[in-house]
Amino acid sequence: MGGQSTSQVKVTGGVLNFTGYCAIVPSLRAPGFITAVTGKSFWHRETFVDVSSCSGIQITAKDFTAGYKGYRISFGTAKPPGGKFFAQGYKANLSPVVGAFGLMSIPFSNFTDFWDDATGDPIHTCTENPSYCPDSNTLSNMKTMSIWAEGVEGKVHLEVSSIAGYGCNSNVM
């Protein structure tokens, strides 16, 4: 999307360190995006834990940027009828604690597969139409998961120490 944004992704001691800059794309006159992705590889596909009995996911993370507002998390490969060309998977906003590791709970009802591929913002939400909510096939194996910095210009520095299901009928981690 213009190649103006830059990022670096490292995992050290089991902690994701996602840094970079989400820049303005001159041709769009809007911020681009950067991502940290797991599960997508030409040679290897990861199998994710079945979270279909859970209420949502919990993320333990720390923001070093004094409140960057464009963090998002996505999973899966769903694409709704009429959805944007480059928009794939279920996505939700991510609001990490600034300066210290903190726990965020994001209910699956906050995710939608009908989002704007230029901004990352939802066009239609799961709460307004359940057909945009994560489906059981995706929740049984997400296939891919991404942390995004998108649609907001600025410096990005996020560390993630864990992602797990919560409100599950069984122990899911």
Side-chain angles (χ1 to χ4, degrees):
M1 300 269 321
Q4 304 298 311
S5 300
T6 59
S7 66
Q8 184 173 27
V9 177
K10 290 182 182 178
V11 177
T12 306
V15 175
L16 169 73
N17 189 351
F18 179 44
T19 59
Y21 190 82
C22 191
I24 297 292
V25 178
S27 62
L28 300 175
R29 289 186 222 121
F33 67 91
I34 54 178
T35 58
V37 181
T38 188
K40 275 190 168 179
S41 167
F42 184 75
W43 302 108
H44 173 71
R45 293 276 183 200
E46 291 184 43
T47 300
F48 285 74
V49 173
D50 182 344
V51 292
S52 60
S53 72
C54 303
S55 301
I57 57 175
Q58 287 185 323
I59 299 114
T60 303
K62 173 172 44 173
D63 175 23
F64 289 88
T65 66
Y68 176 78
K69 301 293 185 207
Y71 291 121
R72 305 182 199 288
I73 186 167
S74 69
F75 59 83
T77 58
K79 207 163 171 49
K84 294 285 192 159
F85 185 79
F86 292 108
Q88 181 175 310
Y90 297 97
K91 189 179 277 190
N93 291 332
L94 182 61
S95 301
V97 174
V98 175
F101 278 104
L103 188 64
M104 295 163 285
S105 298
I106 305 174
F108 288 130
S109 60
N110 283 16
F111 287 84
T112 180
D113 64 353
F114 208 124
W115 48 274
D116 190 321
D117 57 4
T119 65
D121 293 332
I123 296 170
H124 298 291
T125 66
C126 168
T127 53
E128 73 183 56
N129 185 337
S131 70
Y132 304 126
C133 297
D135 61 55
S136 60
N137 285 341
T138 300
L139 295 176
S140 341
N141 180 5
M142 294 179 176
K143 297 182 183 171
T144 183
M145 182 176 283
S146 300
I147 303 289
W148 299 68
E150 176 179 35
V152 176
E153 182 182 21
K155 182 180 174 188
V156 173
H157 186 174
L158 181 70
E159 289 188 357
V160 179
S161 63
S162 71
I163 300 175
Y166 77 89
C168 309
N169 291 337
S170 59
N171 189 18
V172 177
M173 300 284 255

